[in-house]
């Protein structure tokens, strides 16, 4: 009973999905509705028209005809490949050049330069990267004086303070006055760490100012290339320097 009921339900569903058709052609399958046939036929005709147009274009093409894309395309293994000019710039520089104006770059560079000068004035470049770059030269009259020379005795200080380039008191000063300032080792280490952090910040700002200067030069070079004056490239562009061009000299009227 249940099996007969399920069979009757399936037959009703099949009759609902199918389009009414003569009984002698039911063995051919579902009868397509007209709207589905029209969609399928329109799509077929559209594709055939497109293929016909492509065949006609290929037959009528002139192999000797010149078009400007030929100057940037070369044939590799039967495939046309477009030549791309590679610029020697980092992604950060390229992004900044496309989004910012040269005046904005120059303004940021000047601001960085002022911050660098302010940091240099505060730090006085004392004990930068361990030792100061300048030298102290002593002059003697005889070779014997050079052999007997002792820098601590000559500077009148203790040997432990000879390597210091600032705040180097003499022996008389150390005997007369008490030690002033911080003498706690933990606090001294913290002060030295903070000073090193400031020197690291100064180094980073100097590098940032240099990069901004290079970007400003590259933008200015691209603006100069818009001039129609005849020019010759003297030096290629690199990551750290812009391209150099030599322009034809013209007399101003």
């Amino acid at each position: 009973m249940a099996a007969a009921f399920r069979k009757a339900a399936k037959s009703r569903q099949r009759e609902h999905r199918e389009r009414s058709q003569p009984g002698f052609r039911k063995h051919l399958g579902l009868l397509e509705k007209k709207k589905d046939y029209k969609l399928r036929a329109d799509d077929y005709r559209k594709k055939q028209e497109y293929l016909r147009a492509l065949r006609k274009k290929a037959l009528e093409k002139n192999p000797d005809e010149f078009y400007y894309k030929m100057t940037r395309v070369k044939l590799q293994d039967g495939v046309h490949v477009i030549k791309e000019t590679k610029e020697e710039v980092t992604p950060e520089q390229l992004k900044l050049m496309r989004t910012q104006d040269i005046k904005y770059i120059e303004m940021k560079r000047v601001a960085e330069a002022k911050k660098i000068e302010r940091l240099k004035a505060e730090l006085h470049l004392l004990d930068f990267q361990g030792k100061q770059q300048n030298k102290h030269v002593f002059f003697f009259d005889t070779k014997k004086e050079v052999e007997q020379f002792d820098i601590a005795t000559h500077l009148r200080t203790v040997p432990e303070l000879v390597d210091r380039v600032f705040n180097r008191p003499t022996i008389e000063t150390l005997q007369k006055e008490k030690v002033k300032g911080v003498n706690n080792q933990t606090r001294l280490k913290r002060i030295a760490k903070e000073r090193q952090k400031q020197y690291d910040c100064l180094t980073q700002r100097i590098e940032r100012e240099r990069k901004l200067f290079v970007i400003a030069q590259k933008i200015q070079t691209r603006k100069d290339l818009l001039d129609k004056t005849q020019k010759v490239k003297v030096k290629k562009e690199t990551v750290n320097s812009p391209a150099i061009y030599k322009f034809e000299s013209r007399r101003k009227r």
Side-chain angles (χ1 to χ4, degrees):
M1 182 79 179
F5 179 77
R6 285 196 296 269
K7 188 175 182 180
K10 287 183 179 179
S11 63
R12 283 197 299 269
Q13 290 178 358
R14 194 182 301 113
E15 290 175 359
H16 179 72
R17 288 197 304 267
E18 295 177 6
R19 182 181 176 189
S20 59
Q21 55 182 331
F24 66 86
R25 70 169 311 277
K26 279 192 174 182
H27 66 281
L28 298 175
L30 295 175
L31 183 62
E32 189 178 22
K33 292 184 179 180
K34 187 173 182 180
K35 64 176 183 179
D36 297 330
Y37 163 75
K38 288 186 66 177
L39 291 174
R40 183 168 57 83
D42 291 342
D43 182 64
Y44 175 77
R45 282 194 292 268
K46 184 178 179 181
K47 291 177 180 178
Q48 291 298 319
E49 288 291 334
Y50 185 69
L51 291 173
R52 193 179 298 113
L54 287 177
R55 291 192 194 97
K56 184 179 179 183
K57 187 175 181 180
L59 289 172
E60 295 178 353
K61 181 182 177 182
N62 182 7
D64 298 328
E65 183 180 0
F66 172 80
Y67 58 101
Y68 286 98
K69 199 174 181 180
M70 289 180 177
T71 59
R72 296 190 301 110
V73 176
K74 61 180 180 180
L75 198 65
Q76 288 184 351
D77 299 330
V79 180
H80 288 279
V81 180
I82 300 177
K83 300 177 184 178
E84 295 183 359
T85 56
K86 184 179 178 182
E87 295 181 348
E88 291 292 335
V89 292
T90 60
E92 292 81 10
Q93 290 177 349
L94 192 60
K95 182 178 179 181
L96 197 58
M97 283 189 291
R98 288 178 177 175
T99 55
Q100 304 295 343
D101 187 54
I102 185 171
K103 292 183 180 179
Y104 175 76
I105 301 295
E106 191 64 26
M107 181 191 71
K108 297 295 289 184
R109 191 190 67 80
V110 172
E112 285 293 334
K114 290 182 179 179
K115 291 178 182 178
I116 290 170
E117 292 299 327
R118 195 180 303 119
L119 271 174
K120 285 182 177 180
E122 292 175 359
L123 297 173
H124 302 289
L125 295 180
L126 298 174
D127 202 21
F128 182 61
Q129 293 180 354
K131 291 186 178 180
Q132 202 172 12
Q133 297 297 325
N134 53 355
K135 297 180 181 179
H136 196 159
V137 182
F138 299 97
F139 296 93
F140 299 97
D141 296 329
T142 61
K143 189 176 181 180
K144 185 178 181 181
E145 292 179 357
V146 175
E147 294 175 353
Q148 297 177 353
F149 173 70
D150 182 35
I151 187 170
T153 306
H154 188 81
L155 296 175
R156 295 183 303 161
T157 186
V158 292
E160 291 80 4
L161 301 179
V162 169
D163 294 334
R164 301 185 67 175
V165 294
F166 66 99
N167 193 16
R168 185 171 56 201
T170 60
I171 297 177
E172 292 82 3
T173 305
L174 292 173
Q175 291 174 351
K176 292 180 181 178
E177 300 184 9
K178 296 181 180 180
V179 177
K180 297 180 181 179
V182 181
N183 53 8
N184 188 358
Q185 292 295 328
T186 306
R187 194 172 177 187
L188 285 172
K189 290 181 179 179
R190 186 171 67 250
I191 292 174
K193 187 176 181 180
E194 292 177 356
R195 186 173 62 218
Q196 185 62 38
K197 186 184 294 184
Q198 288 183 326
Y199 280 122
D200 294 340
C201 179
L202 176 62
T203 305
Q204 292 175 3
R205 291 194 178 278
I206 291 173
E207 180 66 18
R208 191 180 301 122
E209 192 269 339
R210 185 190 66 80
K211 290 181 179 178
L212 288 172
F213 180 71
V214 172
I215 293 172
Q217 283 186 323
K218 290 184 178 181
I219 296 176
Q220 186 62 43
T221 302
R222 281 164 173 75
K223 289 182 66 176
D224 294 340
L225 290 177
L226 298 176
D227 191 3
K228 295 182 180 180
T229 308
Q230 188 176 359
K231 47 196 167 290
V232 178
K233 182 183 282 189
V234 179
K235 185 179 179 182
K236 292 183 178 180
E237 186 180 77
T238 61
V239 177
N240 298 320
S241 63
I244 299 177
Y245 291 85
K246 185 176 181 181
F247 290 81
E248 181 184 7
S249 59
R250 287 187 178 181
R251 182 179 179 183
K252 293 183 179 180
R253 297 181 179 179

